[in-house]
Amino acid sequence: MTWRHRALRLAAYTELVTLAALLLNRLTVHHPAVSAVAGPVHGIAYLTVLATALLTPAVARSVRWRAALPGIGGLLTVPHLIPPTAGSDRARLGS
């Protein structure tokens, strides 16, 4: 697993968790401190997902568009960027 794959996986989960925190905060108490911390972290994670998907060579255009979906885009992109391992079914089938 390369640094790009690790960065994408970490950014995808961070993006999803911070988006959930922002939405929950907005729907409940709307504490400004939560927004002040989670907002920029979510933005950085979102941009990291986009940059990783765009800068990874040999990625299909549809996968790059999926990365642009806020919240779940990174999680939809992760399986397409991680190369199959030698013993997996995808590696044996050649896809």
Side-chain angles (χ1 to χ4, degrees):
M1 187 180 306
T2 66
W3 66 270
R4 284 186 178 141
H5 300 114
R6 285 189 206 113
L8 177 66
R9 182 175 286 172
L10 178 64
Y13 287 117
T14 303
E15 180 189 7
L16 182 64
V17 168
T18 55
L19 180 63
L22 285 167
L23 292 175
L24 258 163
N25 182 46
R26 181 69 178 156
L27 293 174
T28 58
V29 294
H30 192 55
H31 199 289
V34 174
S35 299
V37 173
V41 173
H42 173 73
I44 290 169
Y46 179 68
L47 292 176
T48 302
V49 166
L50 284 175
T52 305
L54 292 174
L55 296 176
T56 302
V59 173
R61 181 176 279 171
S62 62
V63 174
R64 290 184 176 151
W65 280 107
R66 282 182 216 151
L69 294 171
I72 62 167
L75 295 176
L76 294 174
T77 307
V78 167
H80 298 283
L81 292 185
I82 296 178
T85 58
S88 71
D89 289 337
R90 288 176 66 188
R92 281 181 278 180
L93 296 175
S95 57

